[in-house]
Amino acid sequence: MSRYLYKLIEQGEHEQQDFKFCINDSKKIAKSLVAFANTNGGRLLIGVKDNGKIAGISSDEEFYMIESAAKIFSKPAITFTTRQWQVEGKTVLEIGIEPGSEKPYFAKDENGKWLAYIRIGDENFLAHRIQIEAWKKQSSPNGVCFSYSDDERLLIEYLQNNDSISFSKYMRLAQLSRKKAGDILSNFVVIDVLKIKTSNEGTTFTLNHDVDKSELDKFR
């Protein structure tokens, strides 16, 4: 059984795995839970240092802090599974989070503000407002309504000649309000014509090159 845990630790931290030496703040853990739920799910290994060394947890308090993070400091509440591993005379707590079915999920920060996060690589990032809007549209019974105006065509034509575009650049290029530009970008994300790319440099939008080219022809 311990071999399985060692294999997990050997993978290091990645999009679906995070190590936590200990838990002393439910709000910080809520951020990780939300990021997993908003992305592709994942696991937290509590009692493992960033370098993979097993430290173990000190008490049952970690479980209750996880529960608090998932139910009080996450919105909607996040369902999780737990598993305890006994290795090297120490206890490691594994927390499993499935991809959420009620996106967007928000975590409450130290200032009482609710923020959405996503998981990219081994880091948690704030979800862009366009991503949040796209999630809301995906769960709405009203669907997405397109007008195929010059504003949509301008965006597609620009991205057929350039790798990416930022939200602010599209606003300036099309001379649109934040609301209108955001509506168009989120619509394209919902129908999978655009992909959102987030990194330490910021968030940009790119064409989904897997989309049927006949779909793009509609915007010519």
Side-chain angles (χ1 to χ4, degrees):
M1 296 293 285
S2 60
R3 186 180 302 171
Y4 173 76
L5 178 63
Y6 284 129
K7 284 186 175 180
L8 291 183
I9 293 173
E10 284 173 8
Q11 295 174 15
E13 295 180 306
H14 52 74
E15 185 181 284
Q16 293 184 284
Q17 180 164 283
D18 199 5
F19 299 157
K20 295 295 179 186
F21 170 54
C22 64
I23 300 176
N24 51 29
D25 188 338
S26 289
K27 294 187 183 73
K28 289 182 180 178
I29 292 300
K31 179 178 175 180
S32 292
L33 299 183
V34 160
F36 281 136
N38 278 332
T39 313
N40 295 310
R43 74 179 69 86
L44 287 172
L45 295 179
I46 314 297
V48 178
K49 295 182 178 181
D50 288 344
N51 61 7
K53 183 175 176 59
I54 295 174
I57 58 175
S58 56
S59 69
D60 291 336
E61 187 177 349
E62 275 86 353
F63 172 81
Y64 295 110
M65 293 192 78
I66 286 283
E67 191 170 44
S68 176
K71 295 183 177 179
I72 299 174
F73 297 106
S74 299
K75 183 173 67 174
I78 292 175
T79 301
F80 63 93
T81 60
T82 63
R83 190 173 185 179
Q84 285 194 357
W85 299 94
Q86 301 297 325
V87 184
E88 301 172 9
K90 300 169 184 175
T91 300
V92 173
L93 182 62
E94 178 185 348
I95 305 297
I97 302 98
E98 292 294 320
S101 59
E102 299 179 77
K103 299 174 185 177
Y105 290 83
F106 297 87
K108 193 174 187 179
D109 72 2
E110 58 275 8
N111 298 315
K113 190 173 182 179
W114 291 96
L115 301 171
Y117 294 90
I118 54 175
R119 182 82 175 172
I120 299 174
D122 61 355
E123 295 184 72
N124 300 325
F125 289 88
L126 271 173
H128 194 277
R129 56 167 292 187
I130 302 303
Q131 178 66 80
I132 295 172
E133 188 63 29
W135 281 327
K136 290 179 178 178
K137 287 180 178 180
Q138 286 168 336
S139 62
S140 170
N142 299 324
V144 174
C145 181
F146 267 100
S147 62
Y148 296 164
S149 72
D150 290 341
D151 298 324
E152 281 86 358
R153 281 190 286 273
L154 184 150
L155 176 60
I156 296 301
E157 288 172 1
Y158 180 88
L159 287 174
Q160 285 176 325
N161 295 294
N162 297 272
D163 291 336
S164 64
I165 192 169
S166 67
F167 178 43
S168 58
K169 181 159 188 173
Y170 177 52
M171 280 176 54
R172 295 193 303 271
L173 191 67
Q175 297 183 326
L176 295 173
S177 67
R178 290 181 68 84
K179 184 179 185 309
K180 179 63 176 175
D183 196 41
I184 291 172
L185 286 167
S186 59
N187 281 345
F188 276 128
V189 170
V190 170
I191 66 172
D192 209 26
V193 168
L194 292 189
K195 293 292 187 183
I196 300 179
K197 302 292 184 183
T198 297
S199 68
N200 288 316
E201 284 72 48
T203 296
T204 57
F205 302 85
T206 64
L207 276 182
N208 177 8
H209 295 293
D210 293 329
V211 75
D212 190 330
K213 291 194 184 303
S214 64
E215 287 295 309
L216 296 181
D217 288 340
K218 295 176 181 178
F219 304 98
R220 289 186 181 278

